[in-house]
Amino acid sequence: MFASLSDRLTATFKNLRGKGRLSESDVNATIRDIRLALLDADVALPVVKRFTASVRERALGAEVSQALNPAQQVVKIVQEELVAILGGQTRTIRFAKQPPTVIMLAGLQGSGKTTFAGKLGKWLKDQGHTPLLVAADLQRPNAVTQLEVVGERAGIPVFAPERGNMGGHDAVLDSGEGTRSFGDPVTVSRMGIEQARAKQYDVVIVDTAGRLAVDANLMQQAGDIRAAIAPDEVLFVLDAMIGQAAVETAQAFHEGVAFTGVVLSKLDGDARGGAALSVAELTGEPIMFASTGEKVTDFEVFHPDRMASRILDMGDVLTLIEQAEKAFDKREADEMARKFLAEEDFTFEDFLSQMNAIKKMGSLKSMLKMMPGMQGMRDQLDAFDDREFDRVEAMVRSMTPFERTHPKQINGSRRSRIAKGSGVTVTEVNQLLERFGQAQKMMKSMARGGGGGLPGMPGIPGTGKRGKAQQPQRRKSKSGNPAKRAAEERAAAEKAASGRAAGAGAFGAPGAGAAGESDPMADFDPSNLPKGFEKFLGGGR
């Protein structure tokens, strides 16, 4: 969504690198490039003017002129200002003190309201709530049926006393304006809340009708429903791909139904994304959720700071961590950690369990894009085929249980059988086994710490060892004096013996080392880690 904007801003900041101080002309050139990048991304002109004015004022101030690295300080200012126009702080649903909490969805037809209703219900259910979907969109053909299908996928009950517009010719003409009537959405909304109270559902999500464009009838109907059910939250679902029209649509709905939060749908599209940077600033209401696909799990809480980091190609590691915490089973993770420290072989059974956990997190391509600096590899990521995972999984599942745990025993005839069973060539099976063997060696090297860890990398915490850069050691020349040479050999033997005694407990007793050896984790301060990483210390507590 923000690919073009991210590329333009990254290129702009590259021009500032290596400069010990920034002149006013440097700042003005940077601001001009930022202004053009934002306008090209369809950000509303009033928002662009306020944003660039604020950045310019701060960039010419003392916080940049006195900074050791002015270029990084400018990037920091831009990030903070992006966070501000995206809403500042994360806000989620405000629940009613007395259930049920009533959430009304509003927006244009085709913006993704019905799909979002199911996603929101699934998210609330996962948090321990008992949501009920109410089908109050009686105008769009088969809208009620669509909501029932979405509700079934999400495992959420749907209240639909009226079937609405079924696309046939059985509608009754109103005596008023001659339009077709398919039921009263206001009555259905009221009945839905009564149903929730009777069946003890604690959240009610009301899916209302939309139109192809903003009109008086749409606003009147939405206003009547809002007045009748007095919702705790009114969420405006906005298609992030409609460009500059998003601002006018959002302002019209804000005046008509006074929404309390915004939902950005279709953020996985390839549009310029200016709507996300304009709506919160111009309406004063926060962006609360983002919808990123058709699946009921393609949904996330909107975090302004994380979105700003994505735009500036700083990645979104915290969201990646949260997805991993949901996908990975703690017992399996603890067992993998035990095998890792005990230097046991990583088997294809372990590989399958890790692959299944990664699949639960979603597309590997989308996960890689959350890593810092990956915008520069966008072409390679776009060319990556997620189905490669399926081919690898097919090869592993074509192995017998014995072969999965003893990959070294897979000879030529076994490889041929695996290739035929998985529909690949023997060469591909050979490549898989070769890569798997390299991965086993790397994991053992990392687990051994100083006894062969990765060059320059620390050893595993608790083993009392650190990896060292692999450098050739100069052999000390022996003395020509026989007595002195004998004394040197005795000293070397005693030193080697004490080293072996210290290393004997490296894995048997965590933290054991030579007498007087300092603990490599003694000076470790968790507060120096990025926010959120402390969850992984102490077994993920």
Side-chain angles (χ1 to χ4, degrees):
M1 175 60 75
F2 297 104
S4 175
L5 176 61
S6 179
D7 288 343
R8 296 280 294 271
L9 292 178
T10 302
T12 298
F13 296 140
K14 279 183 180 178
N15 297 330
L16 299 178
R17 292 178 185 173
K19 294 189 176 182
R21 62 181 297 275
L22 298 181
S23 64
E24 185 173 352
S25 61
D26 292 330
V27 173
N28 289 336
T30 302
I31 297 300
R32 181 177 64 252
D33 291 341
I34 292 174
R35 183 187 300 113
L36 292 175
L38 293 173
L39 290 174
D40 187 57
D42 279 342
V43 180
L45 182 60
V47 177
V48 174
K49 287 182 176 180
R50 284 199 289 267
F51 179 84
T52 52
S54 179
V55 172
R56 185 177 189 279
E57 181 181 356
R58 293 182 59 184
L60 292 174
E63 60 180 310
V64 170
S65 62
Q66 297 177 6
L68 294 176
N69 192 324
Q72 288 186 3
Q73 196 66 24
V74 170
V75 175
K76 181 173 178 288
I77 290 172
V78 172
Q79 183 189 23
E80 291 173 352
E81 294 298 328
L82 273 176
V83 172
I85 68 171
L86 286 169
Q89 295 181 343
T90 303
R91 185 172 93 73
T92 55
I93 294 170
R94 289 192 289 249
F95 294 96
K97 295 180 180 179
Q98 185 68 32
T101 299
V102 181
I103 302 172
M104 173 181 166
L105 305 183
L108 293 179
Q109 185 172 311
S111 61
K113 291 190 304 301
T114 303
T115 304
F116 172 73
K119 294 179 180 181
L120 180 60
K122 177 72 166 58
W123 180 74
L124 290 167
K125 181 182 178 182
D126 291 343
Q127 291 196 334
H129 295 279
T130 53
L132 174 68
L133 304 181
V134 177
D137 182 358
L138 308 178
Q139 194 68 31
R140 181 167 60 88
N142 295 309
V144 175
T145 304
Q146 182 191 357
L147 185 64
E148 289 175 335
V149 172
V150 171
E152 183 180 358
R153 288 178 183 170
I156 309 298
V158 177
F159 179 73
E162 297 280 355
R163 300 311 302 168
N165 185 352
M166 300 295 291
H169 301 281
D170 56 349
V172 179
L173 289 177
D174 280 342
S175 58
E177 301 177 2
T179 58
R180 295 186 183 276
S181 173
F182 304 99
D184 184 8
V186 177
T187 303
V188 170
S189 302
R190 282 203 197 99
M191 291 171 62
I193 296 174
E194 293 171 1
Q195 176 78 356
R197 290 197 181 101
K199 300 292 184 179
Q200 296 186 339
Y201 294 103
D202 66 346
V203 180
V204 179
I205 303 172
V206 182
D207 179 30
T208 64
R211 296 291 189 279
L212 295 176
V214 177
D215 60 30
N217 290 335
L218 168 63
M219 289 304 173
Q220 182 63 46
Q221 186 184 96
D224 292 343
I225 295 175
R226 194 189 201 289
I229 64 177
D232 300 284
E233 295 277 13
V234 179
L235 302 184
F236 170 56
V237 182
L238 176 66
D239 184 346
M241 299 180 68
I242 62 176
Q244 291 281 5
V247 175
E248 299 174 2
T249 305
Q251 289 176 330
F253 270 89
H254 193 248
E255 294 171 2
V257 295
F259 58 78
T260 59
V262 179
V263 177
L264 290 178
S265 66
K266 306 179 186 178
L267 268 187
D268 54 328
D270 57 357
R272 298 176 180 179
L277 299 176
S278 307
V279 173
E281 176 79 3
L282 293 178
T283 64
E285 303 298 342
I287 302 172
M288 294 172 58
F289 299 103
S291 181
T292 57
E294 288 296 323
K295 297 180 181 177
V296 292
T297 54
D298 295 337
F299 169 89
E300 59 187 46
V301 176
F302 188 88
H303 300 279
D305 54 340
R306 301 183 192 182
M307 183 58 70
S309 294
R310 291 189 200 181
I311 293 172
L312 295 178
D313 197 19
M314 296 177 181
D316 186 1
V317 179
L318 288 179
T319 298
L320 201 57
I321 291 172
E322 290 175 357
Q323 291 180 356
E325 287 178 335
K326 294 176 184 176
F328 283 83
D329 182 81
K330 188 178 186 304
R331 284 178 295 181
E332 291 183 2
D334 290 342
E335 175 62 16
M336 281 299 301
R338 184 196 65 77
K339 294 182 71 173
F340 184 65
L341 291 175
E343 294 190 67
E344 293 183 16
D345 278 338
F346 180 73
T347 68
F348 275 112
E349 292 286 359
D350 303 322
F351 178 73
L352 271 183
S353 64
Q354 297 296 305
M355 184 180 291
N356 290 332
I358 291 174
K359 281 185 175 181
K360 292 178 185 176
M361 294 175 62
S363 167
L364 181 63
K365 190 183 300 184
S366 63
M367 285 188 286
L368 289 174
K369 287 181 179 179
M370 292 184 188
M371 300 299 292
M374 296 303 286
Q375 292 291 346
M377 300 178 62
R378 190 181 304 112
D379 292 339
Q380 294 91 319
L381 289 176
D382 289 339
F384 176 77
D385 187 1
D386 278 325
R387 291 175 296 179
E388 188 67 32
F389 262 149
D390 298 331
R391 287 189 282 272
V392 172
E393 184 177 0
M395 284 186 273
V396 176
R397 294 197 180 278
S398 295
M399 300 176 186
T400 65
F402 174 80
E403 291 168 343
R404 293 179 193 172
T405 54
H406 300 79
K408 292 181 180 179
Q409 301 300 319
I410 302 178
N411 55 23
S413 62
R414 291 176 183 268
R415 296 182 187 208
S416 177
R417 193 203 72 248
I418 292 170
K420 290 178 181 177
S422 55
V424 299
T425 64
V426 176
T427 303
E428 290 177 278
V429 176
N430 292 338
Q431 291 172 348
L432 171 64
L433 292 172
E434 183 180 354
R435 291 196 302 265
F436 191 78
Q438 292 172 352
Q440 283 182 318
K441 291 178 183 178
M442 184 189 70
M443 293 181 71
K444 281 188 177 181
S445 297
M446 292 175 65
R448 290 191 189 109
L454 294 179
M457 293 294 289
I460 304 303
T463 61
K465 292 189 174 184
R466 283 183 183 270
K468 295 181 180 178
Q470 301 295 320
Q471 297 178 351
Q473 295 184 353
R474 290 184 299 174
R475 182 173 293 179
K476 193 174 181 180
S477 61
K478 295 182 178 180
S479 173
N481 188 323
K484 187 175 181 181
R485 185 167 65 243
E488 289 175 350
E489 289 174 351
R490 284 196 301 273
E494 291 173 0
K495 184 177 180 181
S498 64
R500 286 194 297 270
F507 289 101
E517 183 181 355
S518 61
D519 182 1
M521 299 298 290
D523 298 327
F524 178 69
D525 183 5
S527 63
N528 292 331
L529 287 172
K531 181 181 176 184
F533 272 83
E534 68 276 2
K535 296 179 182 178
F536 288 104
L537 300 178
R541 290 185 293 271

